[in-house]
Amino acid sequence: MVRQSAAPEGVQTSIGDLGTPLAGVSFVVVDLETTGTSASRSRITEIGAVRVRDGRVTDEFTTLVDPGVLIPANITLLTGITQSMVATAPPLTRALPDLLAFLAAEPDTVLVAHNAAFDTGFLKAACEREGVEWPGYPVVDTLRLARAVLVRPEVHNHRLGTLAAYFGAPTTPNHRALDDARATVDVLNGLLARLAPLGVTSLEELRAVNKPPSRAQRARRHLAEDLPERPGVYVFTDARGASLYVGKSNNLRRRVATYFTAAESRRRIREMAGLVEGVTPIVCTTELEASVRELRIIAERKPPFNRRSRNPERASWVTLTPGALPRLSVVRVIKDDGAPYLGPYPSPRAAEEAREAILHALPLRQCTHTFTVEEVRGGGRSAGSAPLRVVPNGVKPCVLAQLGRCGAPCDGTESLTDYTAHADAARTAMTGDPAVVVDAITGRIGELSAELRYEEAAALRDRLSAFLRGARRAQRLAAIAAVPHLVATGPGPTGWETVVVRHGRLAASAVLSPGTDPAAFLSSLTATAERVPAGFGPVPNATAGETELVLDWLERPGTRLVEMEGEWTCPLRSAEAHTGMTHWAHGRASAQ
């Protein structure tokens, strides 16, 4: 085993949203020689690693490894490593800890390799066999970088030997671990030099590089130069001043600059770069304010290059209609009708699954007919307490009644009292305890699974998951929407971030800096906060997305309530108690 050291220079720093400057990154370039190409079946025969900071080598590590198996003849011909050479080498049980100690010698190590998936795959497999946890360092692949930066006819392929010759590396790769690692160092430095003029100056940008920036991107890099290094929202506009794209960041200038570098690989955004003529910054006091303003501007202006949050009005809800014989309906508009609402859902299909879950548990009618309710004459009761009955208006029971999925209140088969009990149970499941739906569906899932009818069980699982997601969202939204005034504060990078929330809407936001009078600050903030009326429904004054951002902020560790009017509560046995079930169909729900 050979280890060569040099005094490390420089200090690695991390500046939050600014990213990690490449000059301060501790790169460790790794190369392995192995007995084959399969990480599970083959074994490591040699390890080479070179630590690099700011383009200079500061340390090296190399060792042969006894693989414990015969080295194939073709591998010996390729690498020159023979069985006799590894006979006295340390086994992996000794070599692996030494390598991990070398990697951990400096904080925030970043691994580099040419075709990194090969080397990291072998190292992860080795750790698993030895019962050692893989540290999970960030990885930079020089092969991927070279494919993004160097195109034909500059190089005819992206093999390590070709790239080493192209960049004038003094070490020629020869399938020996340390020499190949040294050659990769020169390739890495050459690629970084090519990327620097393209605006790639941080580790985060380097790892995001997929292809060189377009000519249009490079021509618009100047748009970021005069932006403030403050949190806020940025709006890309075209020559007519129309909004193209809206985003947010903790550092406006640095984030906008990335759109015009090789770090930006999204096809739509690179296309947008050719249309951008200006950037409008909107400085915000807190990250929450920036997130909320971003949603509001996207919903208002509907910029064409934003994929999400453009049309919150298209969200779907499941409601229990008012009237004597309520039914479940999928709607897009919340009315002031006192009805419960479930959701919002991203699509009518997802809402329909939640509706089907309730209908599985409760035999509510599904027809759209209207009915008249009248008092039963001669009921022998005092005025105002006579029994009621449904006037059928010529409607006949449908096939659902014949199948037992509806009690047929339309023709009096089911009494109004019995039907009302089912409707009340549905209301309770939507706004409070969902047990009646959960118990009915989980019981049926168990029966179907016992009968090996897994596809039907999976369909019911998806419906239950959709129902619980919507119930949880609606209950959380309704709870905060009922609070007329709330002030909360939490620690931030420059002071105590303080927000005013009224009926689920962010009404004000500011930072209490050290040395400021808290009482005067709070009085001024609440006095100038937006006046928000009560409204109706789970989201009376904001989109569901905005209110959920507020809720996430309020629920994060360290947040403290300062003052509140009213009550902020959720039902004791609410849908929140069944959160685990909402992940059953997570993959399918994400695709909807």
Side-chain angles (χ1 to χ4, degrees):
M1 183 183 301
V2 180
R3 179 167 178 164
Q4 303 169 351
S5 302
E9 299 179 8
V11 178
Q12 180 163 327
T13 58
S14 178
I15 319 179
D17 198 56
L18 292 177
T20 308
L22 291 175
V25 172
S26 178
F27 291 111
V28 176
V29 180
V30 176
D31 187 83
L32 304 178
E33 300 303 329
T34 64
T35 61
T37 58
S38 172
S40 59
R41 296 189 299 271
S42 304
R43 295 296 183 263
I44 298 171
T45 59
E46 189 175 32
I47 302 173
V50 181
R51 188 181 302 279
V52 184
R53 184 185 292 278
D54 197 16
R56 294 188 295 274
V57 174
T58 62
D59 207 351
E60 290 186 344
F61 171 92
T62 185
T63 180
L64 287 167
V65 180
D66 182 0
V69 297
L70 291 176
I71 300 176
N74 63 314
I75 297 298
T76 296
L77 288 174
L78 178 68
T79 65
I81 300 175
T82 65
Q83 203 71 42
S84 61
M85 291 172 61
V86 300
T88 57
L92 187 65
T93 53
R94 286 169 48 196
L96 183 61
D98 290 339
L99 173 64
L100 294 178
F102 178 82
L103 296 178
E106 292 191 14
D108 304 325
T109 289
V110 175
L111 285 183
V112 180
H114 197 72
N115 189 16
F118 177 88
D119 299 277
T120 57
F122 267 89
L123 291 175
K124 290 176 183 178
C127 286
E128 184 176 354
R129 284 194 296 270
E130 298 300 325
V132 178
E133 183 179 358
W134 171 246
Y137 295 112
V139 176
V140 172
D141 189 348
T142 52
L143 175 60
R144 184 178 64 83
L145 286 178
R147 287 172 173 169
V149 176
L150 301 176
V151 296
R152 294 181 178 178
E154 286 187 276
V155 292
H156 61 276
N157 61 49
H158 299 98
R159 295 173 183 170
L160 181 58
T162 302
L163 298 177
Y166 177 81
F167 286 114
T171 303
T172 301
N174 58 5
H175 294 290
R176 292 301 301 270
L178 185 58
D179 284 346
D180 285 7
R182 287 169 174 169
T184 306
V185 168
D186 293 308
V187 171
L188 173 66
N189 289 336
L191 292 170
L192 293 180
R194 289 288 297 267
L195 288 166
L198 304 181
V200 178
T201 58
S202 71
L203 174 63
E204 292 72 18
E205 292 169 337
L206 179 67
R207 297 187 67 203
V209 169
N210 280 317
K211 59 180 67 175
S214 65
R215 180 177 299 178
Q217 285 178 290
R218 294 195 299 270
R220 287 162 175 79
R221 287 179 55 195
H222 67 280
L223 294 175
E225 293 176 357
D226 296 328
L227 298 182
E229 293 191 9
R230 299 276 303 280
V233 177
Y234 51 90
V235 182
F236 288 115
T237 56
D238 61 15
R240 299 175 300 169
S243 300
L244 296 172
Y245 183 85
V246 178
K248 67 175 179 65
S249 176
N250 288 333
N251 186 294
L252 289 169
R253 185 168 69 183
R254 180 54 64 98
R255 181 66 185 98
V256 170
T258 64
Y259 285 87
F260 309 115
T261 70
E264 182 52 70
S265 59
R266 292 171 292 178
R267 182 185 60 80
R268 284 172 57 85
I269 301 303
R270 290 168 72 93
E271 176 186 342
M272 180 201 69
L275 305 174
V276 172
E277 293 295 334
V279 183
T280 302
I282 303 172
V283 176
C284 300
T285 55
T286 65
E287 184 178 355
L288 175 61
E289 180 188 350
S291 298
V292 168
R293 285 188 181 275
E294 177 193 30
L295 285 184
R296 291 179 183 176
I297 295 173
I298 292 174
E300 175 190 354
R301 303 186 186 181
K302 304 187 187 311
F305 288 92
N306 282 94
R307 289 187 178 273
R308 298 181 179 179
S309 308
R310 286 199 306 171
N311 300 290
E313 69 280 359
R314 295 183 182 176
S316 297
W317 301 79
V318 178
T319 185
L320 190 65
T321 60
L325 296 177
R327 63 183 180 85
L328 294 169
S329 179
V330 176
V331 299
R332 281 186 172 170
V333 178
I334 296 177
K335 299 180 179 179
D336 187 10
D337 53 10
Y341 285 86
L342 205 68
Y345 291 97
S347 67
R349 178 184 175 187
E352 185 62 33
E353 286 199 330
R355 175 177 172 272
E356 289 290 337
I358 303 174
L359 291 173
H360 178 90
L362 298 165
L364 298 177
R365 71 182 182 96
Q366 300 183 47
C367 60
T368 58
H369 301 300
T370 58
F371 301 93
T372 303
V373 178
E374 65 177 22
E375 294 183 358
V376 177
R377 297 182 180 180
R381 299 187 181 183
S382 59
S385 61
L388 303 177
R389 71 184 180 97
V390 177
V391 179
N393 296 337
V395 176
K396 296 182 179 180
C398 63
V399 68
L400 291 176
Q402 300 173 20
L403 294 173
R405 296 183 60 186
C406 178
C410 55
D411 69 347
T413 301
E414 181 180 43
S415 69
L416 182 60
T417 300
D418 290 342
Y419 187 87
T420 301
H422 296 317
D424 289 343
R427 178 183 291 270
T428 299
M430 295 169 71
T431 61
D433 186 355
V436 64
V437 178
V438 173
D439 292 345
I441 293 185
T442 54
R444 183 56 179 158
I445 288 175
E447 294 173 359
L448 292 171
S449 298
E451 298 171 6
L452 305 183
R453 296 160 64 182
Y454 297 123
E455 290 186 2
E456 295 175 64
L460 280 180
R461 174 205 63 191
D462 294 343
R463 293 173 186 172
L464 177 58
S465 180
F467 163 74
L468 289 172
R469 286 198 308 272
R472 178 179 181 272
R473 292 189 75 185
Q475 290 171 10
R476 292 180 76 237
L477 293 169
I480 193 66
V483 179
H485 175 79
L486 180 151
V487 180
T489 188
T494 59
W496 286 89
E497 297 182 353
T498 308
V499 303
V500 179
V501 181
R502 291 172 176 169
H503 294 295
R505 182 179 177 87
L506 180 64
S509 173
V511 176
L512 174 62
S513 303
T516 304
D517 180 3
F521 169 83
L522 182 61
S523 176
S524 176
L525 182 64
T526 56
T528 56
E530 179 183 357
R531 301 294 187 264
V532 181
F536 54 87
V539 283
N541 300 288
T543 64
E546 173 180 338
T547 303
E548 286 175 327
L549 284 175
V550 171
L551 281 169
D552 290 342
W553 189 90
L554 291 173
E555 294 170 355
R556 71 180 186 177
T559 299
R560 304 178 184 179
L561 288 179
V562 178
E563 61 182 35
M564 185 176 68
E565 298 175 9
E567 295 182 349
W568 181 19
T569 61
C570 282
L572 180 61
R573 288 181 289 273
S574 64
E576 189 83 29
H578 303 276
T579 302
M581 293 186 181
T582 63
H583 301 300
W584 282 357
H586 176 72
R588 188 169 183 271
S590 300
Q592 289 177 342

